[in-house]
Amino acid sequence: MIYYLDIVGTFAFAVSGTLAAADRKMDIFGALFLAAVTAIGGGTVRDLLLDAHPIVWTVDYNYLWVITLAVIFTILFQKWVFRLRKTLFFFDTVGIGVFTIIGLEKALSYDVFFGAAVILGIFSAVLGGIIRDTLCGESPLIFKKEIYATPCLLGGLLYASMRHYGIENPYLTYISVLFIMSIRFLAVRYHLALPQLSNEGLEKNEHSGKKSSDN
Amino acid sequence: MIYYLDIVGTFAFAVSGTLAAADRKMDIFGALFLAAVTAIGGGTVRDLLLDAHPIVWTVDYNYLWVITLAVIFTILFQKWVFRLRKTLFFFDTVGIGVFTIIGLEKALSYDVFFGAAVILGIFSAVLGGIIRDTLCGESPLIFKKEIYATPCLLGGLLYASMRHYGIENPYLTYISVLFIMSIRFLAVRYHLALPQLSNEGLEKNEHSGKKSSDN
Amino acid sequence: MIYYLDIVGTFAFAVSGTLAAADRKMDIFGALFLAAVTAIGGGTVRDLLLDAHPIVWTVDYNYLWVITLAVIFTILFQKWVFRLRKTLFFFDTVGIGVFTIIGLEKALSYDVFFGAAVILGIFSAVLGGIIRDTLCGESPLIFKKEIYATPCLLGGLLYASMRHYGIENPYLTYISVLFIMSIRFLAVRYHLALPQLSNEGLEKNEHSGKKSSDN
């Protein structure tokens, strides 16, 4: 079950990579590369940091197939994809929740302390998008609006406390994933954002009122 | 023999890194760093992903010497280097062919499936340039014009089918390398390019008619 | 003792990451991410290249705590931090010296040749800043001004010759660190810079007369 949700998230992330490539008039190779980096970049960096070899996508065909399909799908139905924005946002949110908790659990199965495992979980969810934006020559959007990393952090902390109180899998996993998804939906719905730094000190986030289509 | 071609490719890639540094008025440290990243960045990422330690350039002196020589050579004979553009393009194309097939063969010697090995071969050839462009604060050129990754992909597929039909080394290696080089020469000669994505759908690649000196 | 200097350097690097985030009006997550990348990015890449697992910050709480403290400290006392510039510059220089020599010694404890160990030492000191600038969508400052990597290189060479002549630890370590710090202070004091490349050939570094607050 979690594996299929992982694949759904991979698809959604790959679509967002392809849309970023289209925005910048890249060619098909650029789209494939950007889709792959967005979808599997975070997990790959996590596995390198954990020394968790082999890297999943080098031994499991499905990830690369799903990414290729997502690129073809996005190119063929591009205008339709824009109308599907809400569906994609839902899939994307599934991806964030699942990637965070899968990443956290994988990290815990190695000998890292809990705080580092939460960070590696967040990395799994957000690093692909950060690399994508950097490759596009842009400062990552995620550094300016909160609705992405904060739910992952809160979900990781919830996971920690539930585990502490003896709640076992699979409840532990599913509740945490749903919690991350809910926080993100609420944050987007009510335009919540973290305070922003500036050279004058902390201030209200000027991005918080805006919606952004890709992330 | 393949080792010497690898060194030739490393030299050509390091020259292209140095020229990129000169374009941006970097200092000598920047030039060395950019030359090294361009020349050995792709292979290094491939080895990290394969968990293939030790990383070659940390135990074989030659790579770092060749890169240092390439930087000195480019600085001393900079105007001459521009006139040598055709020779460099030839060396660069040797590099792409050799890096792809060496990378592919190295990946196959680990337990990855064939599609992932082809991707890791392409990475060996193109990732150095992608990191170089990103460090220069630019969206990688290779995402907009095809003449770089597509020949590597086709060469990888040819390698696969020849191997399937029982063709053995060293023919397998050399034929694939020559094939990649030929496709690239043809693509540059006839200004071939992959179709480009845009927010309106696929369109003819507007970069295809232009020649670019660095890649 | 060296461990505490390492922590001091981590703090200084994290402050510089937070200031870069404030310059670009990032939010608190962006600040934490950028602070962490600046402070531990270089050492992390070094460890990945050396296959030196586990990565230190995943098993030693102190690094992540120091980084979090540095971010909070910088946000709370931001105006004060600007006035502390000289103190921070001192800490930063401690960091560069310590990171280079710790990195060099760690690399030597693996089977890499000396030149590669010096490079990995320099990486430990400079790569965090390079990744930080790239994530900010800028070409790294360090590629344009010398006062950063050159002292690390000279310190590494001094370390090599002292070791060759039989000078042992801890003198070897401390003398090299102090040497790097001294060279950097002198370079900044007298606006020394490496010659700059351009499309016309080498020229005097136009950045050498300017001081920059972040690096």
Side-chain angles (χ1 to χ4, degrees):
Chain A
M1 170 71 174
I2 268 288
Y3 180 77
Y4 292 106
L5 293 178
D6 192 20
I7 293 290
V8 165
T10 302
F11 187 89
F13 275 44
V15 169
S16 106
T18 313
L19 292 176
D23 272 349
R24 281 150 201 91
K25 302 204 160 205
M26 293 182 181
D27 65 20
I28 291 177
F29 170 75
L32 280 167
F33 192 92
L34 226 54
V37 156
T38 310
I40 53 182
T44 302
V45 173
R46 176 202 60 212
D47 287 353
L48 288 176
L49 292 173
L50 288 173
D51 201 21
H53 290 278
I55 305 293
V56 178
W57 59 265
T58 65
V59 288
D60 179 343
Y61 282 76
N62 290 335
Y63 292 92
L64 295 180
W65 277 122
V66 163
I67 291 164
T68 311
L69 277 175
V71 173
I72 295 172
F73 168 84
T74 310
I75 292 175
L76 290 182
F77 303 107
Q78 200 166 330
K79 289 188 182 163
W80 202 53
V81 166
F82 281 112
R83 264 183 255 146
L84 282 177
R85 193 178 280 180
K86 285 197 176 168
T87 316
L88 277 172
F89 173 72
F90 179 76
F91 284 177
D92 191 65
T93 303
V94 171
I96 291 163
V98 174
F99 287 6
T100 304
I101 299 302
I102 290 181
L104 169 63
E105 291 184 328
K106 184 156 189 180
L108 283 178
S109 73
Y110 288 76
D111 274 337
V112 307
F113 69 89
F114 201 90
V118 171
I119 288 174
L120 290 169
I122 298 177
F123 272 17
S124 315
V126 307
L127 218 56
I130 291 175
I131 304 175
R132 177 201 60 206
D133 290 348
T134 307
L135 285 174
C136 288
E138 285 172 21
S139 188
L141 209 55
I142 186 184
F143 293 162
K144 307 215 164 175
K145 48 170 213 168
E146 97 344 314
I147 49 165
Y148 224 79
T150 312
C152 304
L153 175 62
L154 296 176
L157 298 178
L158 177 72
Y159 185 97
S161 28
M162 287 200 301
R163 216 168 112 120
H164 182 75
Y165 289 107
I167 295 172
E168 309 241 334
N169 263 321
Y171 301 107
L172 187 54
T173 304
Y174 288 114
I175 293 173
S176 308
V177 170
L178 285 173
F179 179 75
I180 293 174
M181 290 174 62
S182 316
I183 299 281
R184 180 151 190 246
F185 282 127
L186 287 175
V188 171
R189 179 76 186 76
Y190 294 104
H191 307 310
L192 305 178
L194 287 181
Q196 203 177 23
L197 275 67
S198 81
N199 291 329
E200 308 297 311
L202 281 182
E203 42 187 61
K204 195 175 166 310
N205 195 317
E206 65 192 29
H207 293 268
S208 61
K210 292 181 213 151
K211 278 175 91 173
S212 109
S213 57
D214 86 350
N215 32 46
Chain B
M1 170 72 173
I2 269 286
Y3 180 76
Y4 292 107
L5 293 178
D6 192 21
I7 294 291
V8 165
T10 302
F11 187 89
F13 275 45
V15 169
S16 107
T18 313
L19 292 177
D23 272 349
R24 281 148 200 93
K25 301 204 161 205
M26 293 182 181
D27 65 20
I28 290 177
F29 170 75
L32 281 166
F33 192 92
L34 226 54
V37 156
T38 312
I40 53 180
T44 302
V45 173
R46 176 203 62 213
D47 287 353
L48 288 177
L49 292 173
L50 287 173
D51 200 22
H53 291 280
I55 305 294
V56 177
W57 60 264
T58 64
V59 289
D60 179 342
Y61 283 74
N62 290 334
Y63 291 92
L64 295 180
W65 278 121
V66 163
I67 291 164
T68 311
L69 277 176
V71 173
I72 295 171
F73 168 84
T74 311
I75 292 174
L76 290 182
F77 304 108
Q78 199 166 331
K79 291 190 180 162
W80 203 53
V81 166
F82 282 110
R83 265 182 255 145
L84 281 178
R85 194 178 280 181
K86 284 196 178 170
T87 316
L88 277 173
F89 173 71
F90 179 77
F91 284 177
D92 191 63
T93 304
V94 171
I96 292 163
V98 174
F99 287 7
T100 305
I101 300 302
I102 289 181
L104 170 63
E105 292 185 329
K106 183 156 191 180
L108 283 178
S109 73
Y110 288 76
D111 274 336
V112 308
F113 70 89
F114 201 90
V118 171
I119 287 174
L120 290 169
I122 298 177
F123 271 17
S124 316
V126 307
L127 217 56
I130 290 174
I131 304 175
R132 176 200 61 205
D133 291 349
T134 307
L135 285 174
C136 288
E138 285 173 20
S139 189
L141 210 53
I142 187 184
F143 293 162
K144 308 219 164 173
K145 49 169 212 170
E146 92 353 305
I147 49 165
Y148 224 79
T150 313
C152 305
L153 176 62
L154 296 176
L157 298 179
L158 177 72
Y159 185 97
S161 26
M162 288 200 300
R163 216 168 111 119
H164 183 73
Y165 289 108
I167 294 171
E168 309 241 335
N169 264 322
Y171 301 108
L172 186 54
T173 305
Y174 287 115
I175 293 173
S176 308
V177 170
L178 285 174
F179 179 76
I180 293 174
M181 291 174 61
S182 315
I183 299 280
R184 178 147 192 248
F185 282 127
L186 287 175
V188 171
R189 179 75 187 77
Y190 294 104
H191 306 310
L192 305 177
L194 288 181
Q196 204 177 23
L197 277 67
S198 81
N199 291 331
E200 310 297 311
L202 281 182
E203 42 186 61
K204 195 175 165 311
N205 195 316
E206 66 191 28
H207 293 268
S208 61
K210 292 182 211 151
K211 277 174 89 172
S212 109
S213 57
D214 85 350
N215 32 45
Chain C
M1 170 70 174
I2 270 287
Y3 180 75
Y4 292 107
L5 293 178
D6 192 21
I7 294 290
V8 165
T10 302
F11 187 89
F13 275 45
V15 169
S16 106
T18 312
L19 291 177
D23 273 349
R24 281 150 200 92
K25 301 203 161 208
M26 293 182 181
D27 65 20
I28 290 177
F29 171 75
L32 281 167
F33 192 92
L34 226 54
V37 156
T38 310
I40 53 181
T44 302
V45 172
R46 177 202 61 213
D47 287 351
L48 288 177
L49 292 172
L50 288 172
D51 200 21
H53 291 278
I55 305 294
V56 177
W57 59 264
T58 64
V59 288
D60 179 342
Y61 281 75
N62 290 336
Y63 291 92
L64 295 180
W65 277 121
V66 164
I67 291 165
T68 311
L69 277 176
V71 173
I72 295 171
F73 168 84
T74 311
I75 292 174
L76 290 182
F77 303 108
Q78 200 166 330
K79 290 190 180 162
W80 203 52
V81 166
F82 281 111
R83 264 183 255 146
L84 282 178
R85 193 178 280 179
K86 285 198 177 169
T87 316
L88 277 173
F89 173 71
F90 179 77
F91 284 178
D92 191 64
T93 303
V94 171
I96 291 163
V98 174
F99 287 5
T100 304
I101 299 303
I102 289 181
L104 169 63
E105 292 185 329
K106 184 156 190 181
L108 283 178
S109 73
Y110 288 76
D111 274 336
V112 307
F113 69 89
F114 200 90
V118 172
I119 288 174
L120 289 169
I122 298 176
F123 271 18
S124 316
V126 307
L127 218 56
I130 291 175
I131 305 175
R132 176 200 60 205
D133 291 349
T134 307
L135 285 174
C136 289
E138 285 173 20
S139 189
L141 210 54
I142 186 183
F143 292 162
K144 308 215 164 175
K145 47 169 213 172
E146 97 345 312
I147 49 166
Y148 225 78
T150 312
C152 304
L153 176 62
L154 296 176
L157 298 179
L158 177 72
Y159 185 98
S161 27
M162 287 200 300
R163 218 167 110 120
H164 182 75
Y165 288 108
I167 294 171
E168 310 241 334
N169 264 321
Y171 301 108
L172 187 52
T173 305
Y174 287 114
I175 294 173
S176 307
V177 170
L178 285 174
F179 179 75
I180 293 175
M181 290 175 62
S182 315
I183 299 280
R184 179 149 191 247
F185 282 128
L186 287 175
V188 171
R189 179 74 188 76
Y190 294 105
H191 306 310
L192 305 178
L194 287 181
Q196 204 176 23
L197 275 67
S198 81
N199 291 330
E200 309 297 311
L202 281 182
E203 44 187 58
K204 193 175 168 310
N205 195 317
E206 67 192 25
H207 294 267
S208 61
K210 293 182 212 151
K211 278 175 90 172
S212 108
S213 58
D214 86 348
N215 32 47

